[in-house]
Amino acid sequence: DVKVTQSSRYLVKRTGEKVFLECVQDMDHENMFWYRQDPGLGLRLIYFSYDVKMKEKGDIPEGYSVSREKKERFSLILESASTNQTSMYLCASSLRGDNTDTQYFGPGTRLTVL
Amino acid sequence: LAKTTQPISMDSYEGQEVNITCSHNNIATNDYITWYQQFPSQGPRFIIQGYKTKVTNEVASLFIPADRKSSTLSLPRVSLSDTAVYYCLVGDLFSGGYNKLIFGAGTRLAVHP
């Protein structure tokens, strides 16, 4: 089974802090994703990466950056956390880039910014 | 961009069959239909995927009519553990990219004893 792990289940930070969310997958997947999930809005794609050191903006990249130095690890960075970034953050990975690709999700990190 | 519409919520009882229909009127020729399931405090999990007609696996069946403008996820004999949010996604990742694959609000299924 594919395993996607996220560094924390719960995180509390203060406004203005720099926040790192880490994600690791163990199945040698090419693609990795960061989403945020808010009530009533579903999941929204922040960034994704299709290879090491490669990244693409999703729907809502503002206020976020990402890093993929190794194939198995994809980090989401909040340069200066704000209260409107309080949310559930979900990492995912997928193997293929064709139109039957399916994503494997981690358990999520619930981030609260005070 | 294939927009999907599905009911916000559904209720059922243990042992019943549940059918969740997703409408996607402007589905494109190369689009696939994929369903995910999300339990509370977990990330979504892939359930089933199809292009046309019927697909069945150990978890669910997916029915897609000839015009592909809708699809129905069928869960046989649900149990309490099937209480979750179900997402219908339509897209062609190869040409449309991941930005075009939208997880909407999903359908919140509540199974009662």
Side-chain angles (χ1 to χ4, degrees):
Chain A
D1 264 359
V2 176
K3 189 151 186 195
V4 179
T5 57
Q6 296 184 229
S7 51
S8 306
R9 290 302 303 270
Y10 300 93
L11 209 53
V12 179
K13 296 292 182 180
R14 296 208 173 271
T15 301
E17 278 192 79
K18 190 168 185 175
V19 181
F20 292 87
L21 302 182
E22 304 284 338
C23 175
V24 177
Q25 50 96 2
D26 67 355
M27 284 301 290
D28 203 33
H29 281 177
E30 300 293 329
N31 308 311
M32 296 189 75
F33 309 82
W34 275 107
Y35 292 87
R36 64 177 282 175
Q37 183 172 29
D38 300 288
L41 296 178
L43 278 75
R44 293 179 291 168
L45 183 62
I46 304 172
Y47 268 99
F48 66 96
S49 168
Y50 52 89
D51 201 353
V52 174
K53 297 191 186 296
M54 305 303 290
K55 62 184 180 185
E56 292 279 347
K57 292 181 180 179
D59 293 331
I60 51 164
E62 297 77 20
Y64 304 94
S65 62
V66 290
S67 172
R68 193 163 180 205
E69 296 296 319
K70 293 185 178 181
K71 191 174 186 179
E72 67 271 17
R73 188 178 298 269
F74 193 35
S75 303
L76 180 69
I77 303 153
L78 286 65
E79 295 291 341
S80 178
S82 64
T83 54
N84 64 10
Q85 291 178 310
T86 291
S87 186
M88 170 69 86
Y89 289 88
L90 290 159
C91 174
S93 72
S94 72
L95 177 62
R96 300 186 298 273
D98 63 23
N99 57 6
T100 63
D101 195 29
T102 57
Q103 297 178 49
Y104 296 84
F105 284 83
T109 295
R110 186 165 293 282
L111 172 67
T112 302
V113 182
L114 303 175
Chain B
L1 176 60
K3 179 178 163 57
T4 61
T5 303
Q6 51 183 125
I8 294 173
S9 64
M10 294 181 69
D11 288 275
S12 183
Y13 292 91
E14 285 189 289
Q16 290 188 334
E17 178 184 72
V18 171
N19 295 307
I20 305 174
T21 296
C22 180
S23 173
H24 29 81
N25 290 318
N26 59 341
I27 188 168
T29 302
N30 294 328
D31 286 348
Y32 274 71
I33 301 158
T34 309
W35 286 79
Y36 285 81
Q37 173 191 55
Q38 185 177 23
F39 297 117
S41 301
Q42 294 186 27
R45 179 178 75 119
F46 169 82
I47 307 178
I48 197 165
Q49 183 180 72
Y51 182 79
K52 60 180 180 180
T53 63
K54 177 184 174 182
V55 180
T56 298
N57 62 22
E58 65 277 5
V59 177
S61 294
L62 179 60
F63 297 93
I64 305 168
D67 66 5
R68 302 200 329 124
K69 293 183 183 299
S70 66
S71 58
T72 299
L73 175 72
S74 181
L75 305 172
R77 296 182 299 281
V78 294
S79 64
L80 296 176
S81 63
D82 291 313
T83 293
V85 178
Y86 292 83
Y87 298 95
C88 165
L89 282 73
V90 173
D92 169 12
L93 293 171
F94 187 71
S95 63
Y98 291 96
N99 276 324
K100 299 292 189 284
L101 202 64
I102 296 176
F103 284 83
T107 297
R108 190 171 296 275
L109 172 67
V111 180
H112 306 280

